[in-house]
Amino acid sequence: MTGDADPQPVLNPRGDPDSGPGAGGDLAADPGPSQSLDRPAPQAAHPVLPTPGPDPSNARSARSRRRESDDDSPMMDKLQGYFGLSKTPFGRGLAPGMLHRHAAHSEAIARIAWCVAERELGVVTGEVGVGKTAATRAAIFGLDPARHIAIYLGSPDVGVRGIRTAIVTALGGVPKNQKATLIPEASDMLATEQAERGRTPVLVIDEAHMLAHDQLESVRMLTNFDMDSSSPFATLLIGQPTLKRKIKLGVLAALDQRISVRHHMTGMTPEETADYVRHHMTLAGRSDPLFSDDAIALIHETARGYPRSVNNLGRLSLLATYAAGKTIVDEAAARTAVNESAAPE
C-alpha cells in the first residue's frame, strides 16, 4: 500500500488497480543494458546457461546492477534460465488470489471488508512498502461486482474538485463545471448508485497522508448524508503513519469522530518472511529450497519484514548468486544485495 498531478483512472473492482504496495510486492526500476558474461558455467542444480555472470567484485556500479533486476530486462531472462524458473520471482504483477496471506495482510483485508459491508469510513496506515495497496487491492477484488463499484484515486494532488470529479465520472456522470453544482452532484450520484442500482460505491483514496485539510474535510462532508443517519457508500483512506497524526489535529475533529475502522499494518514476522520467500519462489517454478536460512534471516532483518523491501532484496540476492556462479542464495549473496540496495545512486 509508496502524488501525481492528474487524477488516476477509476478502477473496476475486478480490474487490476495495482501495478502496488504492495501487494504483496512493488519494484520499479529502469531496465539497464545486459552485461557481457564470460565465466565458465558452474554445475548448478538447474543449469541452463553456459555462462553465468561476472564476479560481483568488478567495477560495475550498484546502480547498474539494480537496473538489471527489472522484470523485463535481459538479465532477468538469464536468471530465470540459470535457476530453472518459469517466471520472474518477487514480481509485483501477481493476481490478488496469488498474494501471500501473512497475518498483517489478512487482518487488513478483514477490516476493509467490514468497513465496506457497513458502509463506513475507515483508515488503513502503514510504513512505505508494508503492503497497504496490495491488501486493499485484494479486498476490493473479493467484492461482488454486482453489489459494489470501486472508485480508486491513487493521487491526492487532484484537489477537492478532482475528488468529486473522479466520483462523478466513475459513476457514469458528466462533472459539472461549477464547484457549487459539482459538490451536490457527486453526493447525489453516490446515493443514487446505492438506492437505485443496489451497488455500494467504495471510495478508495491512496496516499491519503498527502491530502490537504480541505480535501479531508470534503471527504467528511460526503459522508454527511440523510441528516447523518446513514451513508450510501464506504470510504477508505490509505496512507503512511502521518495520516493518523494529521487526522488527530483539532481542525479535523469532526472527521476523526466519523472514523469507524482504524488499522495500522506492520511487517511480517521472521517466520512469515521465510514463508513469503518460499511462496514467491514456488510461484516462480522452484519448490525446492533456493535461499538459505541465513540469507532469509538477513533479508528479513534488513527489510523489517516489509514485502516490497523483501522483494527488492530477494531479486538482488538472486543476481548476486548468479554473478558469483553459485547455485544457492547464501548469506554472502544476501549481504551483497543489502550493500547494493543501500549504495548511493
Side-chain angles (χ1 to χ4, degrees):
M1 83 156 239
T2 64
D4 300 324
D6 298 323
Q8 297 294 308
V10 176
L11 304 179
N12 186 278
R14 288 292 180 183
D16 187 5
D18 192 1
S19 58
D26 301 293
L27 283 178
D30 297 332
S34 60
Q35 306 295 315
S36 62
L37 310 172
D38 52 10
R39 174 178 290 188
Q43 297 301 313
H46 297 271
V48 176
L49 293 180
T51 53
D55 191 275
S57 62
N58 63 20
R60 190 174 56 192
S61 69
R63 181 178 183 182
S64 174
R65 288 167 62 81
R66 283 198 295 270
R67 287 200 303 265
E68 286 180 346
S69 68
D70 184 75
D71 283 352
D72 299 323
S73 70
M75 179 55 73
M76 292 311 297
D77 292 336
K78 292 180 173 66
L79 285 178
Q80 289 180 38
Y82 180 71
F83 289 109
L85 305 175
S86 59
K87 61 184 293 185
T88 300
F90 305 109
R92 62 179 182 175
L94 295 179
M98 299 173 69
L99 295 172
H100 183 261
R101 296 300 182 99
H102 48 277
H105 180 85
S106 298
E107 290 171 4
I109 290 177
R111 285 164 172 79
I112 291 172
W114 185 90
C115 184
V116 171
E118 299 297 321
R119 300 200 295 269
E120 296 286 357
L121 173 60
V123 174
V124 178
T125 58
E127 297 290 348
V128 175
V130 78
K132 302 180 296 295
T133 301
T136 303
R137 179 162 62 100
I140 296 301
F141 181 82
L143 299 177
D144 182 355
R147 300 176 56 192
H148 304 89
I149 178 170
I151 307 169
Y152 178 81
L153 284 80
S155 169
D157 285 349
V158 297
V160 173
R161 179 178 178 82
I163 294 175
R164 306 275 180 158
T165 298
I167 292 172
V168 172
T169 302
L171 299 179
V174 178
K176 305 292 186 182
N177 292 327
Q178 301 297 322
K179 181 178 179 180
T181 54
L182 177 61
I183 292 176
E185 181 186 19
S187 299
D188 291 344
M189 293 202 69
L190 288 168
T192 299
E193 187 71 23
Q194 204 281 324
E196 297 184 5
R197 297 183 178 88
R199 293 199 303 178
T200 298
V202 182
L203 176 61
V204 181
I205 303 180
D206 211 342
E207 306 293 347
H209 57 279
M210 299 179 65
L211 290 172
H213 289 176
D214 61 337
Q215 291 175 296
L216 287 168
E217 181 64 12
S218 73
V219 171
R220 180 190 72 83
M221 294 300 295
L222 282 173
T223 65
N224 189 14
F225 180 79
D226 196 16
M227 299 181 67
D228 202 23
S229 63
S230 64
S231 174
F233 68 104
T235 304
L236 297 170
L237 301 178
I238 315 297
Q240 295 176 24
T242 52
L243 175 61
K244 295 189 299 182
R245 296 194 289 270
K246 180 179 288 188
I247 291 174
K248 286 297 182 180
L249 295 175
V251 69
L252 296 173
L255 172 66
D256 183 43
Q257 293 173 9
R258 289 179 183 270
I259 297 173
S260 299
V261 175
R262 304 170 195 264
H263 179 63
H264 182 75
M265 292 186 66
T266 58
M268 297 180 288
T269 65
E271 295 76 17
E272 289 173 332
T273 297
D275 191 62
Y276 180 90
V277 171
R278 289 191 293 267
H279 172 77
H280 276 268
M281 293 311 302
T282 299
L283 292 178
R286 282 291 296 266
S287 57
D288 57 314
L290 184 57
F291 284 73
S292 72
D293 292 343
D294 289 342
I296 293 177
L298 179 58
I299 289 173
H300 171 80
E301 180 182 359
T302 305
R304 295 186 294 172
Y306 296 168
R308 186 184 302 165
S309 293
V310 172
N311 289 344
N312 291 339
L313 292 174
R315 297 209 290 181
L316 284 173
S317 296
L318 288 171
L319 179 58
T321 301
Y322 172 78
K326 299 178 180 179
T327 59
I328 295 295
V329 180
D330 57 15
E331 185 179 11
R335 181 72 62 185
T336 299
V338 171
N339 293 336
E340 290 183 348
S341 66
E345 294 293 332

